[in-house]
PDB file of all heavy atoms in Angstrom:
ATOM      1  N   GLU A   1       0.814  -1.208   0.000  1.00 89.00           N
ATOM      2  CA  GLU A   1       0.000   0.000   0.000  1.00 89.00           C
ATOM      3  C   GLU A   1       0.853   1.266   0.000  1.00 89.00           C
ATOM      4  O   GLU A   1       0.444   2.296  -0.537  1.00 89.00           O
ATOM      5  CB  GLU A   1      -0.935   0.000   1.211  1.00 89.00           C
ATOM      6  CG  GLU A   1      -2.035  -1.055   1.134  1.00 89.00           C
ATOM      7  CD  GLU A   1      -3.001  -0.958   2.299  1.00 89.00           C
ATOM      8  OE1 GLU A   1      -2.801  -0.072   3.157  1.00 89.00           O
ATOM      9  OE2 GLU A   1      -3.951  -1.757   2.342  1.00 89.00           O
ATOM     10  N   ASP A   2       2.034   1.207   0.600  1.00 93.00           N
ATOM     11  CA  ASP A   2       2.899   2.387   0.655  1.00 93.00           C
ATOM     12  C   ASP A   2       3.771   2.542  -0.588  1.00 93.00           C
ATOM     13  O   ASP A   2       4.611   3.437  -0.663  1.00 93.00           O
ATOM     14  CB  ASP A   2       3.774   2.352   1.908  1.00 93.00           C
ATOM     15  CG  ASP A   2       4.712   1.147   1.936  1.00 93.00           C
ATOM     16  OD1 ASP A   2       4.691   0.337   0.987  1.00 93.00           O
ATOM     17  OD2 ASP A   2       5.462   1.003   2.922  1.00 93.00           O
ATOM     18  N   GLY A   3       3.568   1.672  -1.577  1.00 94.00           N
ATOM     19  CA  GLY A   3       4.323   1.762  -2.818  1.00 94.00           C
ATOM     20  C   GLY A   3       5.590   0.929  -2.853  1.00 94.00           C
ATOM     21  O   GLY A   3       6.207   0.786  -3.912  1.00 94.00           O
ATOM     22  N   SER A   4       6.009   0.388  -1.716  1.00 97.00           N
ATOM     23  CA  SER A   4       7.194  -0.473  -1.689  1.00 97.00           C
ATOM     24  C   SER A   4       6.851  -1.853  -2.278  1.00 97.00           C
ATOM     25  O   SER A   4       5.679  -2.198  -2.453  1.00 97.00           O
ATOM     26  CB  SER A   4       7.707  -0.634  -0.258  1.00 97.00           C
ATOM     27  OG  SER A   4       6.735  -1.264   0.563  1.00 97.00           O
ATOM     28  N   GLU A   5       7.885  -2.635  -2.567  1.00 98.00           N
ATOM     29  CA  GLU A   5       7.694  -3.959  -3.147  1.00 98.00           C
ATOM     30  C   GLU A   5       8.236  -5.034  -2.205  1.00 98.00           C
ATOM     31  O   GLU A   5       9.261  -4.843  -1.560  1.00 98.00           O
ATOM     32  CB  GLU A   5       8.388  -4.072  -4.505  1.00 98.00           C
ATOM     33  CG  GLU A   5       7.749  -3.233  -5.597  1.00 98.00           C
ATOM     34  CD  GLU A   5       8.406  -3.476  -6.945  1.00 98.00           C
ATOM     35  OE1 GLU A   5       9.652  -3.589  -6.981  1.00 98.00           O
ATOM     36  OE2 GLU A   5       7.692  -3.552  -7.955  1.00 98.00           O
ATOM     37  N   THR A   6       7.535  -6.172  -2.162  1.00 98.00           N
ATOM     38  CA  THR A   6       7.951  -7.300  -1.340  1.00 98.00           C
ATOM     39  C   THR A   6       8.103  -8.531  -2.220  1.00 98.00           C
ATOM     40  O   THR A   6       7.231  -8.837  -3.042  1.00 98.00           O
ATOM     41  CB  THR A   6       6.931  -7.594  -0.229  1.00 98.00           C
ATOM     42  OG1 THR A   6       6.784  -6.432   0.590  1.00 98.00           O
ATOM     43  CG2 THR A   6       7.386  -8.758   0.634  1.00 98.00           C
ATOM     44  N   ASP A   7       9.214  -9.227  -2.044  1.00 98.00           N
ATOM     45  CA  ASP A   7       9.494 -10.452  -2.797  1.00 98.00           C
ATOM     46  C   ASP A   7       8.680 -11.598  -2.191  1.00 98.00           C
ATOM     47  O   ASP A   7       8.856 -11.940  -1.024  1.00 98.00           O
ATOM     48  CB  ASP A   7      10.994 -10.747  -2.736  1.00 98.00           C
ATOM     49  CG  ASP A   7      11.385 -11.960  -3.553  1.00 98.00           C
ATOM     50  OD1 ASP A   7      10.533 -12.474  -4.311  1.00 98.00           O
ATOM     51  OD2 ASP A   7      12.539 -12.412  -3.426  1.00 98.00           O
ATOM     52  N   MET A   8       7.775 -12.193  -2.963  1.00 98.00           N
ATOM     53  CA  MET A   8       6.903 -13.256  -2.473  1.00 98.00           C
ATOM     54  C   MET A   8       6.883 -14.428  -3.446  1.00 98.00           C
ATOM     55  O   MET A   8       7.094 -14.252  -4.654  1.00 98.00           O
ATOM     56  CB  MET A   8       5.461 -12.758  -2.290  1.00 98.00           C
ATOM     57  CG  MET A   8       5.279 -11.657  -1.277  1.00 98.00           C
ATOM     58  SD  MET A   8       3.516 -11.226  -1.093  1.00 98.00           S
ATOM     59  CE  MET A   8       3.596  -9.951   0.160  1.00 98.00           C
ATOM     60  N   THR A   9       6.629 -15.612  -2.922  1.00 98.00           N
ATOM     61  CA  THR A   9       6.395 -16.778  -3.775  1.00 98.00           C
ATOM     62  C   THR A   9       4.907 -17.095  -3.879  1.00 98.00           C
ATOM     63  O   THR A   9       4.484 -17.811  -4.788  1.00 98.00           O
ATOM     64  CB  THR A   9       7.138 -18.005  -3.237  1.00 98.00           C
ATOM     65  OG1 THR A   9       6.715 -18.268  -1.888  1.00 98.00           O
ATOM     66  CG2 THR A   9       8.651 -17.776  -3.257  1.00 98.00           C
ATOM     67  N   SER A  10       4.098 -16.550  -2.958  1.00 98.00           N
ATOM     68  CA  SER A  10       2.649 -16.715  -3.006  1.00 98.00           C
ATOM     69  C   SER A  10       1.992 -15.489  -2.386  1.00 98.00           C
ATOM     70  O   SER A  10       2.610 -14.768  -1.592  1.00 98.00           O
ATOM     71  CB  SER A  10       2.215 -17.982  -2.274  1.00 98.00           C
ATOM     72  OG  SER A  10       2.529 -17.909  -0.901  1.00 98.00           O
ATOM     73  N   PHE A  11       0.733 -15.258  -2.754  1.00 98.00           N
ATOM     74  CA  PHE A  11      -0.014 -14.111  -2.247  1.00 98.00           C
ATOM     75  C   PHE A  11      -1.439 -14.545  -1.970  1.00 98.00           C
ATOM     76  O   PHE A  11      -2.062 -15.240  -2.777  1.00 98.00           O
ATOM     77  CB  PHE A  11       0.000 -12.969  -3.265  1.00 98.00           C
ATOM     78  CG  PHE A  11      -0.876 -11.802  -2.881  1.00 98.00           C
ATOM     79  CD1 PHE A  11      -0.375 -10.788  -2.085  1.00 98.00           C
ATOM     80  CD2 PHE A  11      -2.189 -11.728  -3.312  1.00 98.00           C
ATOM     81  CE1 PHE A  11      -1.173  -9.711  -1.724  1.00 98.00           C
ATOM     82  CE2 PHE A  11      -2.997 -10.659  -2.963  1.00 98.00           C
ATOM     83  CZ  PHE A  11      -2.487  -9.646  -2.164  1.00 98.00           C
ATOM     84  N   ASP A  12      -1.965 -14.131  -0.818  1.00 97.00           N
ATOM     85  CA  ASP A  12      -3.358 -14.407  -0.450  1.00 97.00           C
ATOM     86  C   ASP A  12      -3.920 -13.124   0.128  1.00 97.00           C
ATOM     87  O   ASP A  12      -3.575 -12.730   1.239  1.00 97.00           O
ATOM     88  CB  ASP A  12      -3.421 -15.541   0.574  1.00 97.00           C
ATOM     89  CG  ASP A  12      -4.858 -15.998   0.844  1.00 97.00           C
ATOM     90  OD1 ASP A  12      -5.794 -15.304   0.397  1.00 97.00           O
ATOM     91  OD2 ASP A  12      -5.037 -17.033   1.503  1.00 97.00           O
ATOM     92  N   GLY A  13      -4.770 -12.441  -0.638  1.00 96.00           N
ATOM     93  CA  GLY A  13      -5.271 -11.169  -0.162  1.00 96.00           C
ATOM     94  C   GLY A  13      -6.292 -10.564  -1.094  1.00 96.00           C
ATOM     95  O   GLY A  13      -6.989 -11.260  -1.841  1.00 96.00           O
ATOM     96  N   SER A  14      -6.343  -9.231  -1.072  1.00 96.00           N
ATOM     97  CA  SER A  14      -7.386  -8.480  -1.739  1.00 96.00           C
ATOM     98  C   SER A  14      -6.916  -7.907  -3.063  1.00 96.00           C
ATOM     99  O   SER A  14      -5.725  -7.703  -3.278  1.00 96.00           O
ATOM    100  CB  SER A  14      -7.847  -7.359  -0.799  1.00 96.00           C
ATOM    101  OG  SER A  14      -8.810  -6.534  -1.408  1.00 96.00           O
ATOM    102  N   ALA A  15      -7.863  -7.644  -3.947  1.00 96.00           N
ATOM    103  CA  ALA A  15      -7.587  -6.953  -5.205  1.00 96.00           C
ATOM    104  C   ALA A  15      -7.894  -5.468  -5.034  1.00 96.00           C
ATOM    105  O   ALA A  15      -8.645  -5.089  -4.131  1.00 96.00           O
ATOM    106  CB  ALA A  15      -8.433  -7.546  -6.319  1.00 96.00           C
ATOM    107  N   PRO A  16      -7.313  -4.600  -5.848  1.00 96.00           N
ATOM    108  CA  PRO A  16      -6.354  -4.957  -6.898  1.00 96.00           C
ATOM    109  C   PRO A  16      -4.974  -5.253  -6.327  1.00 96.00           C
ATOM    110  O   PRO A  16      -4.538  -4.601  -5.385  1.00 96.00           O
ATOM    111  CB  PRO A  16      -6.326  -3.712  -7.780  1.00 96.00           C
ATOM    112  CG  PRO A  16      -6.696  -2.591  -6.839  1.00 96.00           C
ATOM    113  CD  PRO A  16      -7.674  -3.168  -5.866  1.00 96.00           C
ATOM    114  N   MET A  17      -4.307  -6.247  -6.891  1.00 97.00           N
ATOM    115  CA  MET A  17      -2.953  -6.608  -6.476  1.00 97.00           C
ATOM    116  C   MET A  17      -2.023  -6.405  -7.657  1.00 97.00           C
ATOM    117  O   MET A  17      -2.204  -7.002  -8.713  1.00 97.00           O
ATOM    118  CB  MET A  17      -2.897  -8.061  -5.994  1.00 97.00           C
ATOM    119  CG  MET A  17      -1.551  -8.431  -5.344  1.00 97.00           C
ATOM    120  SD  MET A  17      -0.276  -8.907  -6.520  1.00 97.00           S
ATOM    121  CE  MET A  17      -0.529 -10.678  -6.607  1.00 97.00           C
ATOM    122  N   GLU A  18      -1.035  -5.541  -7.458  1.00 98.00           N
ATOM    123  CA  GLU A  18      -0.067  -5.241  -8.511  1.00 98.00           C
ATOM    124  C   GLU A  18       1.196  -6.075  -8.277  1.00 98.00           C
ATOM    125  O   GLU A  18       1.751  -6.059  -7.182  1.00 98.00           O
ATOM    126  CB  GLU A  18       0.301  -3.756  -8.517  1.00 98.00           C
ATOM    127  CG  GLU A  18      -0.891  -2.797  -8.545  1.00 98.00           C
ATOM    128  CD  GLU A  18      -1.628  -2.818  -9.865  1.00 98.00           C
ATOM    129  OE1 GLU A  18      -1.009  -3.217 -10.876  1.00 98.00           O
ATOM    130  OE2 GLU A  18      -2.816  -2.434  -9.881  1.00 98.00           O
ATOM    131  N   ALA A  19       1.620  -6.790  -9.309  1.00 98.00           N
ATOM    132  CA  ALA A  19       2.802  -7.639  -9.178  1.00 98.00           C
ATOM    133  C   ALA A  19       3.730  -7.437 -10.362  1.00 98.00           C
ATOM    134  O   ALA A  19       3.291  -7.144 -11.481  1.00 98.00           O
ATOM    135  CB  ALA A  19       2.412  -9.112  -9.065  1.00 98.00           C
ATOM    136  N   ARG A  20       5.008  -7.595 -10.075  1.00 98.00           N
ATOM    137  CA  ARG A  20       6.039  -7.507 -11.120  1.00 98.00           C
ATOM    138  C   ARG A  20       6.819  -8.821 -11.113  1.00 98.00           C
ATOM    139  O   ARG A  20       7.289  -9.280 -10.071  1.00 98.00           O
ATOM    140  CB  ARG A  20       6.963  -6.320 -10.845  1.00 98.00           C
ATOM    141  CG  ARG A  20       8.022  -6.062 -11.890  1.00 98.00           C
ATOM    142  CD  ARG A  20       8.701  -4.715 -11.639  1.00 98.00           C
ATOM    143  NE  ARG A  20       9.324  -4.654 -10.319  1.00 98.00           N
ATOM    144  CZ  ARG A  20      10.593  -5.002 -10.071  1.00 98.00           C
ATOM    145  NH1 ARG A  20      11.370  -5.438 -11.064  1.00 98.00           N
ATOM    146  NH2 ARG A  20      11.095  -4.920  -8.853  1.00 98.00           N
ATOM    147  N   PHE A  21       6.946  -9.436 -12.281  1.00 98.00           N
ATOM    148  CA  PHE A  21       7.603 -10.735 -12.393  1.00 98.00           C
ATOM    149  C   PHE A  21       8.927 -10.569 -13.149  1.00 98.00           C
ATOM    150  O   PHE A  21       8.966 -10.014 -14.245  1.00 98.00           O
ATOM    151  CB  PHE A  21       6.694 -11.729 -13.123  1.00 98.00           C
ATOM    152  CG  PHE A  21       5.395 -11.979 -12.415  1.00 98.00           C
ATOM    153  CD1 PHE A  21       4.285 -11.203 -12.681  1.00 98.00           C
ATOM    154  CD2 PHE A  21       5.293 -12.977 -11.457  1.00 98.00           C
ATOM    155  CE1 PHE A  21       3.081 -11.419 -12.021  1.00 98.00           C
ATOM    156  CE2 PHE A  21       4.108 -13.206 -10.785  1.00 98.00           C
ATOM    157  CZ  PHE A  21       2.992 -12.424 -11.067  1.00 98.00           C
ATOM    158  N   VAL A  22      10.010 -11.059 -12.538  1.00 98.00           N
ATOM    159  CA  VAL A  22      11.359 -10.878 -13.079  1.00 98.00           C
ATOM    160  C   VAL A  22      12.001 -12.245 -13.264  1.00 98.00           C
ATOM    161  O   VAL A  22      11.995 -13.076 -12.340  1.00 98.00           O
ATOM    162  CB  VAL A  22      12.217 -10.010 -12.140  1.00 98.00           C
ATOM    163  CG1 VAL A  22      13.574  -9.737 -12.772  1.00 98.00           C
ATOM    164  CG2 VAL A  22      11.500  -8.708 -11.807  1.00 98.00           C
ATOM    165  N   ALA A  23      12.582 -12.499 -14.440  1.00 98.00           N
ATOM    166  CA  ALA A  23      13.151 -13.814 -14.746  1.00 98.00           C
ATOM    167  C   ALA A  23      14.498 -14.047 -14.059  1.00 98.00           C
ATOM    168  O   ALA A  23      14.799 -15.152 -13.618  1.00 98.00           O
ATOM    169  CB  ALA A  23      13.300 -13.970 -16.259  1.00 98.00           C
ATOM    170  N   ASN A  24      15.348 -13.049 -14.021  1.00 98.00           N
ATOM    171  CA  ASN A  24      16.700 -13.169 -13.451  1.00 98.00           C
ATOM    172  C   ASN A  24      17.473 -14.360 -14.044  1.00 98.00           C
ATOM    173  O   ASN A  24      17.860 -15.289 -13.334  1.00 98.00           O
ATOM    174  CB  ASN A  24      16.629 -13.326 -11.926  1.00 98.00           C
ATOM    175  CG  ASN A  24      16.096 -12.100 -11.233  1.00 98.00           C
ATOM    176  OD1 ASN A  24      16.403 -10.983 -11.611  1.00 98.00           O
ATOM    177  ND2 ASN A  24      15.270 -12.305 -10.213  1.00 98.00           N
ATOM    178  N   PRO A  25      17.733 -14.351 -15.351  1.00 98.00           N
ATOM    179  CA  PRO A  25      18.485 -15.462 -15.957  1.00 98.00           C
ATOM    180  C   PRO A  25      19.933 -15.470 -15.477  1.00 98.00           C
ATOM    181  O   PRO A  25      20.500 -14.432 -15.139  1.00 98.00           O
ATOM    182  CB  PRO A  25      18.406 -15.158 -17.455  1.00 98.00           C
ATOM    183  CG  PRO A  25      18.242 -13.667 -17.523  1.00 98.00           C
ATOM    184  CD  PRO A  25      17.399 -13.298 -16.326  1.00 98.00           C
ATOM    185  N   THR A  26      20.525 -16.659 -15.445  1.00 97.00           N
ATOM    186  CA  THR A  26      21.920 -16.804 -15.010  1.00 97.00           C
ATOM    187  C   THR A  26      22.693 -17.633 -16.024  1.00 97.00           C
ATOM    188  O   THR A  26      22.142 -18.515 -16.696  1.00 97.00           O
ATOM    189  CB  THR A  26      21.995 -17.490 -13.629  1.00 97.00           C
ATOM    190  OG1 THR A  26      21.401 -18.795 -13.717  1.00 97.00           O
ATOM    191  CG2 THR A  26      21.256 -16.683 -12.575  1.00 97.00           C
ATOM    192  N   ASP A  27      24.013 -17.340 -16.115  1.00 97.00           N
ATOM    193  CA  ASP A  27      24.936 -18.117 -16.963  1.00 97.00           C
ATOM    194  C   ASP A  27      24.416 -18.267 -18.392  1.00 97.00           C
ATOM    195  O   ASP A  27      24.459 -19.359 -18.969  1.00 97.00           O
ATOM    196  CB  ASP A  27      25.182 -19.501 -16.345  1.00 97.00           C
ATOM    197  CG  ASP A  27      25.782 -19.414 -14.957  1.00 97.00           C
ATOM    198  OD1 ASP A  27      26.780 -18.706 -14.788  1.00 97.00           O
ATOM    199  OD2 ASP A  27      25.231 -20.047 -14.036  1.00 97.00           O
ATOM    200  N   ILE A  28      23.965 -17.162 -18.970  1.00 96.00           N
ATOM    201  CA  ILE A  28      23.434 -17.226 -20.335  1.00 96.00           C
ATOM    202  C   ILE A  28      24.536 -17.542 -21.343  1.00 96.00           C
ATOM    203  O   ILE A  28      24.332 -18.312 -22.291  1.00 96.00           O
ATOM    204  CB  ILE A  28      22.746 -15.891 -20.703  1.00 96.00           C
ATOM    205  CG1 ILE A  28      21.513 -15.673 -19.834  1.00 96.00           C
ATOM    206  CG2 ILE A  28      22.350 -15.884 -22.174  1.00 96.00           C
ATOM    207  CD1 ILE A  28      20.806 -14.376 -20.119  1.00 96.00           C
ATOM    208  N   GLY A  29      25.705 -16.966 -21.129  1.00 95.00           N
ATOM    209  CA  GLY A  29      26.796 -17.201 -22.075  1.00 95.00           C
ATOM    210  C   GLY A  29      26.421 -16.756 -23.469  1.00 95.00           C
ATOM    211  O   GLY A  29      25.937 -15.642 -23.689  1.00 95.00           O
ATOM    212  N   ASP A  30      26.610 -17.636 -24.448  1.00 95.00           N
ATOM    213  CA  ASP A  30      26.301 -17.325 -25.842  1.00 95.00           C
ATOM    214  C   ASP A  30      24.883 -17.738 -26.233  1.00 95.00           C
ATOM    215  O   ASP A  30      24.512 -17.663 -27.410  1.00 95.00           O
ATOM    216  CB  ASP A  30      27.300 -18.026 -26.770  1.00 95.00           C
ATOM    217  CG  ASP A  30      28.721 -17.496 -26.586  1.00 95.00           C
ATOM    218  OD1 ASP A  30      28.852 -16.300 -26.273  1.00 95.00           O
ATOM    219  OD2 ASP A  30      29.680 -18.288 -26.734  1.00 95.00           O
ATOM    220  N   TYR A  31      24.098 -18.191 -25.240  1.00 97.00           N
ATOM    221  CA  TYR A  31      22.729 -18.611 -25.539  1.00 97.00           C
ATOM    222  C   TYR A  31      21.803 -17.399 -25.643  1.00 97.00           C
ATOM    223  O   TYR A  31      22.026 -16.367 -25.013  1.00 97.00           O
ATOM    224  CB  TYR A  31      22.199 -19.543 -24.447  1.00 97.00           C
ATOM    225  CG  TYR A  31      22.766 -20.941 -24.494  1.00 97.00           C
ATOM    226  CD1 TYR A  31      23.979 -21.235 -23.881  1.00 97.00           C
ATOM    227  CD2 TYR A  31      22.091 -21.959 -25.161  1.00 97.00           C
ATOM    228  CE1 TYR A  31      24.502 -22.516 -23.915  1.00 97.00           C
ATOM    229  CE2 TYR A  31      22.608 -23.239 -25.197  1.00 97.00           C
ATOM    230  CZ  TYR A  31      23.813 -23.513 -24.583  1.00 97.00           C
ATOM    231  OH  TYR A  31      24.324 -24.783 -24.623  1.00 97.00           O
ATOM    232  N   THR A  32      20.752 -17.529 -26.416  1.00 98.00           N
ATOM    233  CA  THR A  32      19.703 -16.518 -26.516  1.00 98.00           C
ATOM    234  C   THR A  32      18.478 -17.020 -25.761  1.00 98.00           C
ATOM    235  O   THR A  32      17.944 -18.073 -26.099  1.00 98.00           O
ATOM    236  CB  THR A  32      19.331 -16.244 -27.980  1.00 98.00           C
ATOM    237  OG1 THR A  32      20.490 -15.763 -28.676  1.00 98.00           O
ATOM    238  CG2 THR A  32      18.223 -15.200 -28.063  1.00 98.00           C
ATOM    239  N   PRO A  33      18.014 -16.293 -24.730  1.00 98.00           N
ATOM    240  CA  PRO A  33      16.851 -16.762 -23.964  1.00 98.00           C
ATOM    241  C   PRO A  33      15.533 -16.307 -24.596  1.00 98.00           C
ATOM    242  O   PRO A  33      15.404 -15.169 -25.061  1.00 98.00           O
ATOM    243  CB  PRO A  33      17.058 -16.099 -22.594  1.00 98.00           C
ATOM    244  CG  PRO A  33      17.805 -14.844 -22.899  1.00 98.00           C
ATOM    245  CD  PRO A  33      18.656 -15.122 -24.105  1.00 98.00           C
ATOM    246  N   TYR A  34      14.569 -17.217 -24.601  1.00 98.00           N
ATOM    247  CA  TYR A  34      13.213 -16.914 -25.054  1.00 98.00           C
ATOM    248  C   TYR A  34      12.279 -17.179 -23.874  1.00 98.00           C
ATOM    249  O   TYR A  34      12.144 -18.322 -23.425  1.00 98.00           O
ATOM    250  CB  TYR A  34      12.835 -17.754 -26.268  1.00 98.00           C
ATOM    251  CG  TYR A  34      13.666 -17.433 -27.493  1.00 98.00           C
ATOM    252  CD1 TYR A  34      14.827 -18.154 -27.771  1.00 98.00           C
ATOM    253  CD2 TYR A  34      13.296 -16.409 -28.358  1.00 98.00           C
ATOM    254  CE1 TYR A  34      15.606 -17.851 -28.877  1.00 98.00           C
ATOM    255  CE2 TYR A  34      14.071 -16.102 -29.479  1.00 98.00           C
ATOM    256  CZ  TYR A  34      15.221 -16.837 -29.723  1.00 98.00           C
ATOM    257  OH  TYR A  34      15.997 -16.530 -30.832  1.00 98.00           O
ATOM    258  N   TYR A  35      11.635 -16.097 -23.374  1.00 98.00           N
ATOM    259  CA  TYR A  35      10.857 -16.184 -22.146  1.00 98.00           C
ATOM    260  C   TYR A  35       9.381 -16.428 -22.455  1.00 98.00           C
ATOM    261  O   TYR A  35       8.847 -15.959 -23.451  1.00 98.00           O
ATOM    262  CB  TYR A  35      10.990 -14.888 -21.344  1.00 98.00           C
ATOM    263  CG  TYR A  35      12.418 -14.515 -21.039  1.00 98.00           C
ATOM    264  CD1 TYR A  35      13.100 -13.580 -21.825  1.00 98.00           C
ATOM    265  CD2 TYR A  35      13.097 -15.095 -19.976  1.00 98.00           C
ATOM    266  CE1 TYR A  35      14.412 -13.247 -21.553  1.00 98.00           C
ATOM    267  CE2 TYR A  35      14.419 -14.760 -19.698  1.00 98.00           C
ATOM    268  CZ  TYR A  35      15.059 -13.834 -20.491  1.00 98.00           C
ATOM    269  OH  TYR A  35      16.356 -13.495 -20.228  1.00 98.00           O
TER     270      TYR A  35
END
């Protein structure tokens, strides 16, 4: 509610709920990722 963000693996609550999902790929090297 105060605009800060919390890292969660699950959420149980009220709408509207705003979420941001980040992949955080690792060790990509010469590979091309398709999300």
Side-chain angles (χ1 to χ4, degrees):
E1 291 184 0
D2 62 0
S4 62
E5 291 185 319
T6 301
D7 183 9
M8 298 183 179
T9 58
S10 63
F11 174 87
D12 188 349
S14 177
M17 189 276 269
E18 308 290 337
R20 184 169 59 91
F21 299 90
V22 185
N24 294 321
T26 60
D27 300 309
I28 294 179
D30 295 328
Y31 285 85
T32 299
Y34 295 93
Y35 305 98

